[in-house]
Amino acid sequence: VQMLATAPAKETECRETIKKICDSFAVSPIARDVLETASAFSSKTGTDEPYFLGPADGVGSTGYRSSWWTQFYCILWRSWLSVLKDPMLVKVRLLQTAMVATLIGSIYFGQVLDQDGVMNINGSLFLFLTNMTFQNVFAVINVFSAELPVFLREKRSRLYRVDTYFLGKTIAELPLFIAVPFVFTSITYPMIGLKAGLTHYLTTLFIVTLVANVSTSFGYLISCASSSISMALSVGPPVVIPFLI
């Protein structure tokens, strides 16, 4: 697209470039194949009508050109590439999680099981909940709003189903939504002095991971229901806070 675009201040130069590309294509083997196919069609029908492509091979009764698994694999691969293309965002999220976890761990450091300690542990557990909720809701709240035009165009073109798109995007981002609770819990759990033992730690990690992924799904819900990013950001907090309470 960039090669064939006409820049505002370079119209003549861009047109020359486009002409060279078109001339190169005209003498290519692909152009000859297209011309032979069109000529064969014209000679067979005896008319000069334009050549139209017939129905694509493999189009089933559902109207999709590929199977469910093929659609899912392609969407998963594309979503995974989009995650890998922005490694700085992943690093920033993990660093932010580590800093917040260290701060919470420092504030509630070394609690003992007396009356004050129990109240403080209750407060720290609520911070577990709020941090995992808001961090993950706002991490994905703009995902579908930003991609909605592309999704609608590709959906109308019958490229893939809605369920393959949703599952592919969700699973591609799942490693990050497992890594964030792991980093958060691994730092705060020993600093606060919660119940020792691998079983208790893994139970806490499992629950925090569930909270994080439910929050992510809730963020997806708000994103899907909102027509724009600004609307999603406005709707998010009032909808989330009652569930926290």
Side-chain angles (χ1 to χ4, degrees):
V1 171
Q2 189 174 359
M3 289 295 295
L4 295 175
T6 304
K10 303 177 181 177
E11 285 87 354
T12 306
E13 183 182 338
C14 290
R15 288 197 183 95
E16 290 176 0
T17 304
I18 294 169
K19 188 176 184 302
K20 287 178 184 176
I21 294 172
C22 293
D23 292 342
S24 299
F25 174 76
V27 297
S28 67
I30 298 174
R32 286 197 295 272
D33 291 343
V34 171
L35 186 60
E36 287 172 6
T37 305
S39 300
F41 175 80
S42 298
S43 61
K44 186 167 67 175
T45 57
T47 63
D48 292 329
E49 292 178 1
Y51 176 73
F52 293 103
L53 289 173
D57 294 333
V59 176
S61 58
T62 58
Y64 296 102
R65 298 182 181 220
S66 56
S67 65
W68 190 94
W69 285 107
T70 304
Q71 296 173 31
F72 172 71
Y73 172 77
C74 292
I75 293 292
L76 179 63
W77 180 243
R78 185 175 76 174
S79 302
W80 179 244
L81 286 179
S82 68
V83 172
L84 295 181
K85 282 179 182 176
D86 201 356
M88 183 56 66
L89 180 62
V90 176
K91 293 176 184 175
V92 167
R93 285 206 61 195
L94 291 175
L95 180 63
Q96 174 194 1
T97 303
M99 291 174 64
V100 172
T102 305
L103 178 63
I104 294 173
S106 302
I107 294 171
Y108 292 97
F109 186 78
Q111 296 299 317
V112 293
L113 284 179
D114 54 16
Q115 187 62 41
D116 291 337
V118 169
M119 295 297 293
N120 289 337
I121 288 172
N122 275 338
S124 67
L125 292 179
F126 185 72
L127 284 177
F128 270 58
L129 180 66
T130 53
N131 186 67
M132 284 297 102
T133 301
F134 281 104
Q135 183 177 350
N136 289 288
V137 165
F138 286 101
V140 301
I141 204 167
N142 63 339
V143 168
F144 289 114
S145 300
E147 294 187 6
L148 192 60
V150 176
F151 166 73
L152 290 175
R153 185 176 70 243
E154 293 178 341
K155 178 69 175 65
R156 290 191 192 107
S157 300
R158 310 290 286 174
L159 293 181
Y160 47 74
R161 298 168 173 80
V162 177
D163 54 346
T164 54
Y165 174 76
F166 180 79
L167 288 172
K169 279 200 69 65
T170 305
I171 294 173
E173 295 177 347
L174 191 61
L176 182 60
F177 295 126
I178 293 175
V180 167
F182 174 76
V183 171
F184 184 82
T185 308
S186 299
I187 294 173
T188 50
Y189 197 92
M191 288 185 72
I192 295 172
L194 298 175
K195 194 169 184 178
L198 181 62
T199 306
H200 304 298
Y201 163 76
L202 291 177
T203 303
T204 306
L205 178 60
F206 177 67
I207 293 171
V208 173
T209 304
L210 284 182
V211 170
N213 283 276
V214 167
S215 303
T216 302
S217 299
F218 203 69
Y220 283 144
L221 172 65
I222 296 170
S223 183
C224 290
S226 304
S227 57
S228 63
I229 296 175
S230 57
M231 180 181 175
L233 292 172
S234 301
V235 169
V239 174
V240 170
I241 287 173
F243 289 98
L244 283 174
I245 294 171

